[in-house]
């Protein structure tokens, strides 16, 4: 096989079929204090070539879900139910990743699915030069490549993420934080996977570098057509780059749908709270508000909706019944989203609130009030 055969295709068809179907996936941590249902009955689909964003406060189960998908979870995590159907490329039959034994799972990592973690330093081997680390991954899928072919491929991958090929001979500590993070992204793309899972890939770098890295990822994704599951705390950013968004709270998906639709019309009060805590993507500027209170203790979840104790719209039934995800009626042309809420928000009410929050006097108010409400919630 020539190096040219190994290069990533310049254009790949963007299909709309499912790539990954996560069905009722549950992951628990078996701790001395009890079972922590960190990922509870999660059902989500990732389509070929799309970007699915996942947002939620800390401890909502995002990383647990991602590591379970790649079967990288460690004790005391246990996948206690559900399936993850992966539709492999190349005419191979679909597989359930939950049920594959490690011998069958291992070849899929890097080649078909790869992951970019938050901390590049923890993922790169500090005592190996980049070249050796890249060569290990490249030759997993292409064991017959010659040294020259491997080097050509490393040069190509480094260039793809804006790193001069000379750095192949560097150790990780000789790179800046941004370069390390970009190396991880290049490594994740080394075997041309269909899905790249990114867990807060840019939180360890400054905002300018964050933007540069994300722009590079988007350009590569557009050119090469791989699908991405992207987790980041920055909901505005996620909404900007994702095709669809899933919102997690207390280990469950509470809303999922088209990114633009969710931004314009969040159905779940938690989604609305997250959205209103970040500056809007474009004008008009509106007042930011926090979400009062703190995320639930997963060892002691309330009987009803886990968000009810913090929800400004909660009614009596919310405290008694746990809502399931259900299809929301849509007035737009887009595909209807799903929300797990007994009393989903009304589109007109959201529009009125947005207009109200965008009034100049409202915007001029109060970072202080925002801080006060957040502190009050944290003390509750
Ligand atoms: N090794 C572990 N043992 C016990 N509980 C754990 C373990 N790892 C995570 N958890 C619990 O699982 C829940 C979900 O954690 P997870 O790391 O998946 O959240 P997250 O949404 O990724 O948060 P963050 O945004 O802070 O990264 C949390 O309540 C956490 O305390
Ligand atoms: Mg996490």
């Amino acid at each position: 096989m020539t190096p040219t055969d190994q290069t990533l295709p310049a254009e790949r068809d963007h299909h709309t079929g499912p790539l990954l179907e996560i069905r009722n996936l549950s992951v628990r941590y078996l701790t001395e204090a009890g079972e922590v249902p960190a990922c509870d009955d999660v059902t989500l689909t990732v389509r070929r070539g799309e970007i699915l964003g996942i947002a939620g406060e800390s401890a909502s189960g995002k990383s647990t879900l991602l590591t379970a998908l790649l079967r990288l979870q460690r004790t005391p995590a246990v996948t206690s139910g559900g399936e993850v159907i992966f539709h492999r490329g190349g005419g191979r039959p679909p597989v359930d990743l939950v049920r594959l034994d490690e011998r069958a799972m291992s070849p899929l990592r890097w080649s078909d699915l790869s992951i970019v973690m938050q901390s590049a330093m923890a993922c790169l081997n500090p005592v190996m030069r980049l070249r050796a680390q890249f060569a290990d991954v490249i030759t997993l899928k292409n064991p017959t490549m010659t040294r020259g072919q491997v080097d050509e491929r490393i040069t190509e991958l480094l260039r793809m993420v804006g790193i001069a090929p000379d750095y192949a001979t560097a150790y990780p500590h000789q790179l800046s934080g941004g370069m390390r993070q970009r190396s991880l992204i290049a490594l994740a793309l080394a075997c041309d996977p269909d899905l790249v899972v990114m867990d807060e890939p840019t939180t360890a770098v400054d905002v300018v570098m964050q933007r540069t890295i994300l722009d590079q990822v988007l350009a590569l994704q557009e050119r090469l057509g791989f699908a991405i599951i992207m987790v980041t705390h920055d909901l505005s950013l996620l909404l900007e780059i994702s095709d669809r968004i899933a919102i997690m709270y207390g280990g469950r998906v509470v809303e999922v749908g088209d990114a633009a639709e969710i931004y314009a019309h969040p159905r779940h009060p938690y989604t609305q709270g997250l959205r209103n805590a970040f500056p809007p993507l474009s004008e008009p500027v509106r007042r930011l508000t926090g979400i009062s209170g703190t995320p639930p203790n997963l060892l002691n979840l309330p009987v009803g909706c886990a968000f009810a104790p913090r929800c400004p719209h909660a009614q009596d039934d919310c405290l008694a019944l746990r809502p399931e995800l259900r299809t929301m009626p849509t007035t737009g042309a887009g595909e209807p989203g799903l929300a797990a809420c007994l009393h989903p928000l009304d589109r007109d009410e959201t529009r009125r609130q947005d207009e109200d929050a965008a009034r100049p006097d409202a915007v001029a108010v109060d970072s202080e009030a925002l801080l006060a409400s957040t502190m009050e919630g944290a003390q509750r």
Side-chain angles (χ1 to χ4, degrees), residues 130-147:
L130 278 195
R131 190 204 168 276
Q133 305 195 44
F134 273 78
D136 278 356
V137 172
I138 293 168
T139 52
L140 274 179
K141 192 171 179 183
N142 309 287
T144 57
M145 266 184 152
T146 64
R147 191 183 161 94

Side-chain angles (χ1 to χ4, degrees), residues 29 31 36 38 56-64 76 200 233 298:
Y29 292 97
T31 70
V36 179
E57 286 167 294
S58 204
S60 56
K62 306 178 299 292
S63 298
T64 302
E200 313 219 27
H233 274 110
L298 295 183

